[in-house]
Amino acid sequence: MAELVYRPVIGAARTFFKALDLKIDTQGSEHIPKTGGAVLVSNHISYLDFIFTGLAALPQKRLVRFMAKESVFRHKVSGPLMRGMKHIPVDRKQGEDAYAHALASLRSGEIVGVFPEATISESFTLKSFKSGAARLAQEAGVPLIPMALWGTQRLWTKGRPRNFKRNHVPVTIRVGEPVEAPTDQYAGAITRRLRERVQELLEAAQRAYPVRPKDASDTWWVPAHLGGTAPTPAEVREKS
């Protein structure tokens, strides 16, 4: 039943992105296993990241079950869709329920999508990673698949209006080789290694990105350390 909902949603997303004439460049999808469980881990810079992360798995004919905050499941529009696609609600006050749900999904051979930064990075740099993805992979005996997105923040991100104009925004997606999660290692050490891999993929995606800001008013989506005017991580922390 889940796929009766999931596949039409994918089709609608593809049609929408085609209408926007997005230039989506994906490399590395072959690293996503064709069968069996895996934890797909990505950076988080846009409200649309779950869609693009899911698209990266389609060449392997896989559907991703995302862990998302519980409030999305209560929304009258998104709620039925999220439940129909078998995504996993996360109530931060009762995180053990979401963890158990994700673990069961992995053990049944599903791919579970996780954003270990937990919230959108307003600096567009990697924040610290929570260790839940590594612990899930360890307990389920599945690999971690690192990936990075770049350009999605130009479409819709925190603190900025949505940009759904037909203006050919490029989106770059890079998927890396699996990171193993052996049970005889600390989850914290695995998480650090995972974050390093996502950082490498993010930098590769940024180098491959085909456009630069048009003018000084268009530098907001570029991190400060790359010469843009996005807030620094320190400035984001001061604001929150």
Side-chain angles (χ1 to χ4, degrees), residues 13-204:
R14 282 176 153 171
T15 299
F16 179 58
F17 292 159
K18 187 174 183 180
L20 295 181
D21 196 29
L22 300 186
K23 308 300 183 183
I24 303 174
D25 169 24
T26 304
Q27 292 184 16
S29 289
E30 69 274 9
H31 296 308
I32 297 172
K34 289 185 176 181
T35 60
V39 182
L40 190 58
V41 175
S42 176
N43 65 319
H44 198 12
I45 53 176
S46 165
Y47 291 115
L48 302 177
D49 287 343
F50 72 98
I51 300 177
F52 290 100
T53 302
L55 288 179
L58 291 183
Q60 298 294 81
K61 297 181 170 56
R62 300 303 303 272
L63 300 176
V64 183
R65 315 302 177 183
F66 287 95
M67 300 184 76
K69 59 184 180 181
E70 193 266 343
S71 60
V72 178
F73 291 77
R74 294 198 306 267
H75 190 276
K76 63 181 180 180
V77 176
S78 63
L81 292 175
M82 295 294 282
R83 289 189 293 273
M85 290 185 282
K86 288 173 59 179
H87 294 313
I88 301 167
V90 179
D91 183 342
R92 291 179 181 173
K93 295 179 181 178
Q94 296 178 315
E96 63 276 6
D97 291 343
Y99 186 92
H101 187 166
L103 187 59
S105 295
L106 290 168
R107 286 174 169 165
S108 68
E110 299 274 17
I111 292 181
V112 172
V114 177
F115 297 104
E117 297 168 279
T119 57
I120 289 174
S121 170
E122 295 177 69
S123 66
F124 310 131
T125 61
L126 276 192
K127 297 166 31 175
S128 61
F129 277 20
K130 298 185 181 302
S131 64
R135 290 187 288 108
L136 278 169
Q138 284 182 303
E139 197 166 344
V142 301
L144 294 149
I145 310 297
M147 66 174 293
L149 306 165
W150 192 245
T152 60
Q153 75 273 33
R154 299 179 64 197
L155 297 169
W156 190 14
T157 193
K158 191 172 182 178
R160 301 284 306 189
R162 286 174 293 185
N163 176 16
F164 291 161
K165 299 176 182 177
R166 185 179 168 85
N167 53 7
H168 326 297
V169 171
V171 172
T172 303
I173 305 172
R174 294 292 182 265
V175 185
E177 295 179 356
V179 174
E180 297 303 321
T183 56
D184 62 350
Q185 293 184 14
Y186 288 114
I190 297 169
T191 300
R192 287 190 293 274
R193 189 160 67 248
L194 177 66
R195 188 183 182 281
E196 289 171 359
R197 289 294 296 120
V198 174
Q199 178 66 40
E200 291 169 0
L201 292 165
L202 177 57
E203 291 173 3

